[in-house]
Amino acid sequence: MSTAPVLSAVDVTKHFVVRGAVGDSAVVRAVENASVDLHAGRIVAVVGESGSGKTTLARMLARFYDPTAGEIRLDGVSVSGRPTRAYHQDVQLIFQDPFGSLNPVHRVRHNLDRALRIHDRRMSAAERRRRAVELLERVSLTPGEDFLDKFPHELSGGQRQRVVIARALAVGPKVLLGDEPISMLDVSIRLEMLNLLDRLRREDGLALLYITHDIASARYVCDDVIVMYAGEMVEGGPKDEVIARPAHPYTKLLVESSPDPDRVGTVSRDELFDDAEALGEPPSLIEPPEGCRFHPRCPFAMERCRSEAPPRTDVGGGHWARCWLHQEGRAHEIGESTFAAALTRRDEQVRA
Ligand SMILES: Nc1ncnc2c1ncn2[C@@H]1O[C@H](COP(=O)(O)OP(=O)(O)OP(=O)(O)O)[C@@H](O)[C@H]1O
Ligand SMILES: [Mg+2]
């Protein structure tokens, strides 16, 4: 990528200290040494199962959480201390539940008006109304006038999420961080919402982070994919490369669980992991597995995977993975059979 990133996480780690009932405490290693660069006009998808650290990463990028280690950079400048209002305007976070993000006792007009006032205090009331209509139409709520006086509960889920996006745009952001922005919406409108995100990055040059469980929806909309597992980034690169030729066994599992691009947004968490029993439990983040965190579930795991964390291997064209198979000359095995077949083979070997 030739242009400089707008927003970056550089080697960020987030540990949460949780206290037990009897005054004991434990550390949840939610995100470990994660890095991502967001560029104007591009969409990066972060994919991973529940608890893999996606939201924690987004909250660090939005500066709702301070990283335990590592840094966040906006326009190349490391940010620290109390986040400024300007930062929160530049970097907007959109949540899963549009109901939760809109003030239910206020009409759409008021919800947008507040953001517009924050953006530009000198704007007159008439100007703000004109801008509100424009923003609504920007997110395909047309005619915008018809939506100004609605309350959030009078809108469909998709319309509500569009209002949330319009409000995010009202403050003139450079970056939108979408934390599973379509997962609570009807399947029938998910594609439209992805098309809207796609339009915003093309027409407004926004840098987007798109968080999802569903690698099929990532395939539909993004440029680059990053796969997270148990708090760590295990693979990343251009979407087509990562999805066509996964270089990490976990990515392979995700892709095979969601093979059909036409099923965008329809894959549930349970469906993704319907072989959960064979796969075993997701790891504890309080005492994560030694070595590669995926090794207890990995059909290709070797001795080394149990004790040493794999280094990042570049596999070409900006595509990389953290997996020992690459260092041991066994990477071809990832592509040779399905994940399920490899898992069955492993279990047979264990029994033999
Ligand atoms: N404030 C917190 N205090 C303690 N632990 C937390 C906190 N926030 C998140 N965690 C833990 O950190 C880990 C990562 O959580 P996170 O919400 O980032 O995952 P996620 O990938 O967004 O999951 P989901 O797909 O379910 O939204 C989980 O084990 C979670 O329980
Ligand atoms: Mg989350």
Side-chain angles (χ1 to χ4, degrees), residues 290-303:
E290 293 276 306
C292 170
R293 288 186 177 182
F294 190 58
H295 88 255
R297 302 171 101 181
C298 182
F300 306 99
M302 304 169 273
E303 206 39 55

Side-chain angles (χ1 to χ4, degrees), residues 16 18 28 30 49-56 65 180 213 285:
F16 294 106
V18 288
V28 179
E49 69 189 296
S50 188
S52 56
K54 305 180 297 297
T55 294
T56 305
Y65 291 153
E180 306 204 44
H213 278 94
L285 295 183

